[in-house]
Amino acid sequence: MSLESFFSPKSVAIVGASRRKGKVGYEILTNMISSGYEGKIFPVNRSADEIEGLTCYPDLSSIGETPELVVVIVPARFVLGIIEDCAKLGTKSVIIITAGFKEIGEEGKKLEEEIVRVARRAGIRIIGPNCLGVIVSSSKLNASFGGDMPKAGGTGYLSQSGAMLAAILDTAKANGIGFSSLFSIGNKADVDELDLIEALAADPNTKVIAGYLESIGDGNEFVREAERISHQKPILLMKSGGTTAGAKAASSHTGSLAGSEVAYECMFARAGIIRCDSITQQFDFAQAFASQPLPRGPKVVVLTNAGGAGIMAADAIERQGLTFAKLAEETIDRLAASLPAAANCYNPVDVLGDALPDRYEFALDVLLDDPSVDAVVVLLTPQAMTQAAETAEAIAKTAQAKPDKPILACFLGASKVEAGVKVLREAKIPQYESPEAAVATLRAMADYVLWRSQPKRVVKLFPVNRRKVESIIDRHLRKGAREIGEAESKEILEAYGFATPKGSIATTADQAANIADQLGYPVVLKIWSPDILHKSDVGGVKVGLKSAQQVRDAFDLMMYRIPKKMPDAHILGVLVQEMCASGREVILGMHRDPHFGPLMMFGMGGVMVEVLKDVAFYLAPLTGDEAKRMLMNTKTYRILQGVRGQEGVDIEAIAEGLQRLSQLVTEFPQIQEMDINPYVVGLPGTTPIGVDARISVEK
Ligand code: ADP
Ligand code: MG
């Protein structure tokens, strides 16, 4: 159902409008009036005839027409009655400002649920309760008590915290930042973050969607929709408060490494959402996204009137992983022909301390023509002859004439550049506190461009033996077992196309020696117990056994020592396993996030994985590209490619392993956590081997 009536209602009733200054009911009414709202305003108050010159009605039904939007400020116990009145009248959009619902406990929760039930039956949409209200610039609607109407701008904002919204409005006012609309979503009883993101995506006045969220409703739907919307408009989010789900005890490596924040990071990466760490950064980003074209690539040029500032910007470009633009010969010649001899015509282009607006205008114009420039950072320091306001005008004029590339300004200083900053703001050239902040913004833009340019995601499906996996999992679940041991985990892996070492279980030393004879030497002996998850920790892995005697000795030693270390462990015997050729040990894993589903992990494997923590995560299902990007996001990647004369390993084979694992956990939601550690990979063309695996399942 459309949220149109929240954006541009023809009439608004304010139930609980008040004559008393300082009361919310008064603030909202006066905000409505002073914002210049052109529709009808109906104050509703039982004991007043008139407030602020407007006729007041004792209740909604006395108005005599149907208000398109109703704002509710009366105490919680009266709210249900108001919703029933709205249902009778046919009002479809309600903002409940009142607090005292879900956030106060069980009783409030029940009341809130009852309200939603009545509203749903009548087709009413509700924003709130427990919120600050709604502001929409284009319809001069300020149905909030968050503050004065901000300037109009291209950013649509939604906030789960009313207080944050008030802080945002205040900061925006001080910095002359504009909004298309702001929504305080409160308890999200009905309209939630996704509804509003969708509405802002469809709103022609909104160029950038920004928000502050503490929680997200349906994770899967959110990812899907946000990904679709990110292709049309950038979404900039501040997210606070980790989920507690990640904290629950984890039995796999992946589980213990996937903190609660990882799921959100993965979700943002997948959906193309740009994460912001602070209000300042969110404004930095939003301004540029709302007012500037997107850069075509990562190549940045710096234009400055001071060497030091130029170097700061150059350092920032390098730190942010952007490209320091190498100017074309022609550009350098053109600059050299007209700038003073002492000027620097290479990046950073220094027009010198005595530069007047004409020099900035000329140089900026030439730089914008250069095909090896994707974006410009214009720096200005207030020196003796500097004309900040006039220079800002010159920059604005040039930007208007050549509007294809983003221009970000950083006028350093305070009172001496104030007039210039004002001109920049009016001309919609974003101004930054520091070269670093401007460059960080360009990085966010370049990342977004890169994300949008990715080919459509295609997930490859491998032919597998699903039935086999199903029977193993079912058998465990029927017994109430959560952990699938090494042997059956390997059967599962084999069903999904992984190679694993051969081997069998022995209960006596002689039996172990027999199995080893059949496998051929060297072999590996591993303790076999459902109670021992990390075998090496208790001396339960012995590699490189070269003879039957060594196998017998190793068996006896394990049987003597391990029961002493772990008296409660139920020891079934040992696994005698063929020893695989040496290679690099990596880990492939999965941890199922309760909100966003399977999180895939890749990293440096072996027994040190938790110590080194060199791992990368991504949401399943994985495409081939994503699997490879996961590899590239670890330090291990360089080692895998081969360093210092060592040959590289089969990167494609690892990426395929990750995709197969991703298919397995996508097809079996019962799998909660799993990892293959180590996954031993060798030279290109050899088959990687899943040496050890652990799978935990749940109904
Ligand atoms: P755990 O992780 O429970 O301690 P693993 O089965 O992963 O036990 O074995 C620990 C280490 O021993 C592995 O990381 C690997 O280096 C080595 N290892 C185990 N099995 C083999 C094998 N079949 N071939 C070669 N090396 C092995
Ligand atoms: Mg292991």
Side-chain angles (χ1 to χ4, degrees):
M1 211 184 325
S2 156
L3 301 181
E4 189 56 39
S5 299
F6 291 104
F7 281 83
S8 53
K10 290 190 188 63
S11 55
V12 180
I14 299 167
V15 183
S18 167
R19 276 173 297 197
R20 256 182 294 151
K21 226 179 148 149
K23 290 200 77 171
V24 174
Y26 176 85
E27 296 302 322
I28 294 186
L29 180 66
T30 49
N31 277 343
M32 280 294 295
I33 296 169
S34 64
S35 64
Y37 175 65
E38 282 153 3
K40 291 189 211 163
I41 305 174
F42 308 115
V44 175
N45 179 325
R46 230 170 255 165
S47 51
D49 298 329
E50 187 220 281
I51 308 179
E52 293 292 309
L54 293 173
T55 311
C56 198
Y57 302 87
D59 47 41
L60 281 170
S61 55
S62 326
I63 295 172
E65 58 181 284
T66 302
E68 192 172 341
L69 174 67
V70 168
V71 184
V72 183
I73 308 147
V74 294
R77 63 185 187 279
F78 300 124
V79 175
L80 185 59
I82 305 294
I83 300 299
E84 279 161 353
D85 288 350
C86 289
K88 269 182 230 139
L89 276 172
T91 295
K92 299 284 183 215
S93 303
V94 177
I95 301 170
I96 305 177
I97 304 284
T98 312
F101 294 90
K102 191 166 64 195
E103 78 282 8
I104 62 156
E106 203 43 46
E107 205 178 314
K109 186 163 171 256
K110 273 204 202 112
L111 187 54
E112 189 171 312
E113 281 163 2
E114 180 62 12
I115 287 168
V116 171
R117 217 171 45 77
V118 172
R120 294 253 157 94
R121 216 185 311 125
I124 296 172
R125 298 302 315 255
I126 293 174
I127 289 183
N130 186 24
C131 76
L132 230 60
V134 169
I135 297 177
V136 181
S137 296
S138 56
S139 45
K140 298 186 200 158
L141 177 83
N142 184 357
S144 87
F145 66 108
D148 295 344
M149 188 82 180
K151 270 180 32 178
T155 304
Y157 206 98
L158 60 134
S159 177
Q160 195 169 341
S161 148
M164 273 303 269
L165 195 74
I168 281 158
L169 267 174
D170 197 35
T171 314
K173 191 176 171 188
N175 294 288
I177 291 165
F179 291 95
S180 59
S181 53
L182 295 111
F183 292 86
S184 166
I185 57 179
N187 290 4
K188 309 193 282 189
D190 172 36
V191 172
D192 66 10
E193 62 284 347
L194 189 54
D195 294 323
L196 275 169
I197 289 175
E198 284 169 337
L200 290 170
D203 172 32
N205 297 311
T206 299
K207 290 209 178 77
V208 177
I209 301 166
Y212 168 80
L213 295 179
E214 285 161 2
S215 66
I216 282 168
D218 179 339
N220 285 319
E221 195 192 353
F222 187 89
V223 176
R224 225 180 9 257
E225 269 301 283
E227 187 180 349
R228 182 184 67 76
I229 291 165
S230 288
H231 279 285
Q232 306 158 15
K233 291 179 188 182
I235 305 176
L236 311 176
L237 291 186
M238 257 195 286
K239 160 79 184 70
S240 75
T243 60
T244 49
K248 84 163 195 248
S251 66
S252 70
H253 299 287
T254 313
S256 66
L257 286 162
S260 57
E261 276 304 289
V262 167
Y264 275 96
E265 290 294 343
C266 286
M267 184 277 278
F268 282 18
R270 164 71 157 282
I273 295 171
I274 301 138
R275 186 169 195 165
C276 309
D277 298 327
S278 63
I279 297 182
T280 320
Q281 190 177 57
Q282 196 171 35
F283 282 170
D284 280 353
F285 290 2
Q287 283 186 82
F289 275 105
S291 69
Q292 297 296 301
L294 290 169
R296 256 174 243 137
K299 301 186 296 283
V300 185
V301 72
V302 179
L303 173 59
T304 179
N305 67 348
I311 293 166
M312 277 171 72
D315 286 348
I317 290 169
E318 178 163 346
R319 257 198 308 277
Q320 290 287 348
L322 293 170
T323 308
F324 198 57
K326 189 171 179 301
L327 299 179
E329 286 296 333
E330 195 198 331
T331 306
I332 295 164
D333 292 345
R334 278 174 72 192
L335 291 173
S338 301
L339 291 177
N344 185 23
C345 302
Y346 297 85
N347 194 7
V349 174
D350 186 349
V351 290
L352 302 178
D354 61 350
L356 295 178
D358 62 329
R359 242 185 249 165
Y360 267 96
E361 187 174 338
F362 164 75
L364 181 59
D365 184 74
V366 171
L367 292 173
L368 287 170
D369 283 345
D370 190 330
S372 51
V373 167
D374 296 319
V376 189
V377 174
V378 184
L379 305 176
L380 177 139
T381 55
Q383 303 191 38
M385 293 176 63
T386 305
Q387 300 171 358
E390 292 79 357
T391 306
E393 272 162 26
I395 294 167
K397 203 171 96 187
T398 318
Q400 213 164 34
K402 297 195 169 153
D404 297 337
K405 294 177 185 176
I407 300 171
L408 278 62
C410 172
F411 281 22
L412 290 154
S415 65
K416 285 187 178 163
V417 296
E418 201 183 315
V421 169
K422 195 156 171 265
V423 172
L424 290 173
R425 287 223 172 94
E426 260 142 40
K428 298 205 159 52
I429 308 261
Q431 144 73 14
Y432 294 86
E433 281 290 312
S434 65
E436 178 74 54
V439 174
T441 304
L442 280 175
R443 163 72 198 260
M445 294 175 101
D447 283 351
Y448 175 66
V449 169
L450 204 65
W451 181 86
R452 271 197 11 182
S453 67
Q454 284 167 45
K456 206 176 142 35
R457 301 183 61 252
V458 185
V459 176
K460 189 170 165 184
L461 279 185
F462 300 89
V464 294
N465 185 351
R466 278 177 80 152
R467 192 145 331 133
K468 168 105 198 198
V469 177
E470 209 165 277
S471 75
I472 297 175
I473 292 180
D474 282 353
R475 192 159 7 101
H476 278 79
L477 289 176
R478 266 200 310 272
K479 279 191 300 195
R482 285 207 51 208
E483 300 293 331
I484 301 183
E486 188 173 337
E488 278 166 312
S489 289
K490 279 186 185 146
E491 282 182 47
I492 291 179
L493 291 185
E494 276 160 22
Y496 270 68
F498 290 91
T500 61
K502 280 206 234 51
S504 5
I505 311 286
T507 50
T508 64
D510 283 341
Q511 206 183 350
N514 268 342
I515 297 169
D517 281 341
Q518 276 159 33
L519 288 172
Y521 293 92
V523 295
V524 180
L525 224 59
K526 297 184 185 178
I527 193 70
W528 191 245
S529 160
D531 304 316
I532 301 176
L533 285 181
H534 301 290
K535 301 176 286 292
S536 303
D537 294 352
V538 295
V541 177
K542 192 83 188 126
V543 300
L545 301 172
K546 293 193 194 71
S547 65
Q549 194 51 48
Q550 283 187 3
V551 170
R552 279 196 200 93
D553 292 347
F555 181 94
D556 290 338
L557 199 61
M558 275 187 198
M559 289 309 165
Y560 172 71
R561 281 196 182 152
I562 296 174
K564 280 195 178 164
K565 279 191 197 151
M566 296 191 74
D568 297 335
H570 186 44
I571 292 169
L572 303 173
V574 296
L575 174 63
V576 187
Q577 197 173 59
E578 76 181 349
M579 172 107 186
C580 33
S582 69
R584 294 280 173 208
E585 296 193 349
V586 298
I587 176 168
L588 314 184
M590 185 281 298
H591 167 79
R592 192 174 296 275
D593 181 82
H595 254 71
F596 301 110
L599 290 180
M600 306 302 299
M601 185 179 92
F602 167 77
M604 163 86 95
V607 287
M608 299 293 178
V609 54
E610 266 108 353
V611 182
L612 296 172
K613 291 199 170 90
D614 181 30
V615 290
F617 288 89
Y618 214 90
L619 279 186
L622 291 177
T623 67
D625 273 349
E626 287 163 352
K628 258 179 263 169
R629 222 166 313 129
M630 281 178 74
L631 301 185
M632 289 179 207
N633 284 344
T634 60
K635 296 194 189 81
T636 306
Y637 184 65
R638 296 255 320 270
I639 301 173
L640 297 176
Q641 282 180 308
V643 280
R644 317 226 49 177
Q646 294 188 354
E647 274 183 281
V649 302
D650 199 332
I651 302 277
E652 294 294 329
I654 305 177
E656 184 181 313
L658 275 169
Q659 290 171 81
R660 286 181 182 272
L661 195 66
S662 144
Q663 180 175 342
L664 170 64
V665 300
T666 308
E667 289 173 352
F668 290 95
Q670 303 96 310
I671 301 179
Q672 295 304 306
E673 278 179 50
M674 71 173 289
D675 45 44
I676 310 177
N677 182 32
Y679 190 53
V680 179
V681 279
L683 300 179
T686 59
T687 308
I689 304 202
V691 166
D692 184 21
R694 174 157 307 118
I695 300 178
S696 68
V697 287
E698 234 168 56
K699 275 223 168 67

